[in-house]
Amino acid sequence: MLTTNNLSGYTRRHEHSASYPGRDRAARLAVYAQHLEGQPTWAIEEARRRFGKGGWKCNWNGRGVPSPQNINAECAFITLEIETEIARISAILDAELVNNETTEDERREAVARWEQLKADMGRSNVIAQRTDEEIAAERFEMSRANDRFRAREAARRAAQQKEHADA
């Protein structure tokens, strides 16, 4: 189970202690714990490893400390295959039972439904996994958009400063 103690080591490795005094750090840990409450600890640890060494799949820009939402999204990517397999197993376990007293036509119908179910399972995926190229392209576009936004903000601030200097 995820606790503030579990997250304490994570944030200690990923933040500069001078940036987060004790009270702020405790509040930040509480926010992380609340957002990640439903995630398995092993998935959070794997997300931490990916953020530290590269290879994450979520939309984090690689700067600073990942937000709780970034960690949550990365955990979703990590647990995707397992959740997909659980859904497939559940579909199998929920399959219609055929008793021995059914007619041959009823059995054929049940087998046809089973074949359709298997075909559907092969095509299903909870989240369409993106390729590294798609992720890299998206990160590049996000970076360009952020750069344009920063440039507009700098121009706006410069214009405001000029107005104040002229006044």
Side-chain angles (χ1 to χ4, degrees):
M1 185 50 127
L2 180 65
T3 65
T4 304
N5 290 337
N6 297 52
L7 283 172
S8 180
Y10 177 81
T11 55
R12 204 172 16 259
R13 290 187 292 269
H14 288 85
E15 66 187 24
H16 304 291
S17 57
S19 304
Y20 298 99
R23 214 172 4 169
D24 291 343
R25 188 168 182 270
R28 175 167 248 196
L29 286 173
V31 169
Y32 274 77
Q34 180 181 7
H35 278 280
L36 302 173
E37 186 174 23
Q39 297 292 351
T41 304
W42 63 266
I44 295 169
E45 184 60 25
E46 176 62 18
R48 183 202 61 78
R49 187 193 64 72
R50 287 183 182 184
F51 288 132
K53 297 185 186 257
W56 64 85
K57 294 182 179 180
C58 74
N59 290 333
W60 181 52
N61 64 8
R63 296 182 193 133
V65 178
S67 70
Q69 294 84 358
N70 292 137
I71 298 170
N72 216 4
E74 191 63 25
C75 288
F77 280 111
I78 292 167
T79 58
L80 173 65
E81 289 181 32
I82 294 168
E83 290 181 10
T84 301
E85 189 62 22
I86 289 171
R88 289 177 178 164
I89 291 170
S90 292
I92 292 169
L93 293 176
D94 292 340
E96 180 181 339
L97 296 175
V98 179
N99 66 34
N100 292 335
E101 297 172 10
T102 58
T103 67
E104 194 57 37
D105 288 339
E106 291 171 328
R107 285 186 185 163
R108 267 195 295 273
E109 288 175 21
V111 169
R113 281 192 298 273
W114 168 242
E115 292 302 325
Q116 182 61 47
L117 181 62
K118 284 194 316 188
D120 291 344
M121 286 190 307
R123 291 189 300 262
S124 69
N125 204 344
V126 179
I127 299 174
Q129 292 191 6
R130 300 177 301 158
T131 65
D132 289 338
E133 293 82 21
E134 292 171 322
I135 293 169
E138 183 176 337
R139 285 186 185 145
F140 177 74
E141 287 302 318
M142 288 172 53
S143 176
R144 283 183 52 206
N146 288 337
D147 291 343
R148 286 192 304 267
F149 175 77
R150 287 186 195 103
R152 274 196 310 264
E153 284 296 307
R156 185 185 60 77
R157 281 193 299 273
Q160 285 177 344
Q161 288 174 352
K162 184 178 179 190
E163 285 177 16
H164 289 293
D166 291 341

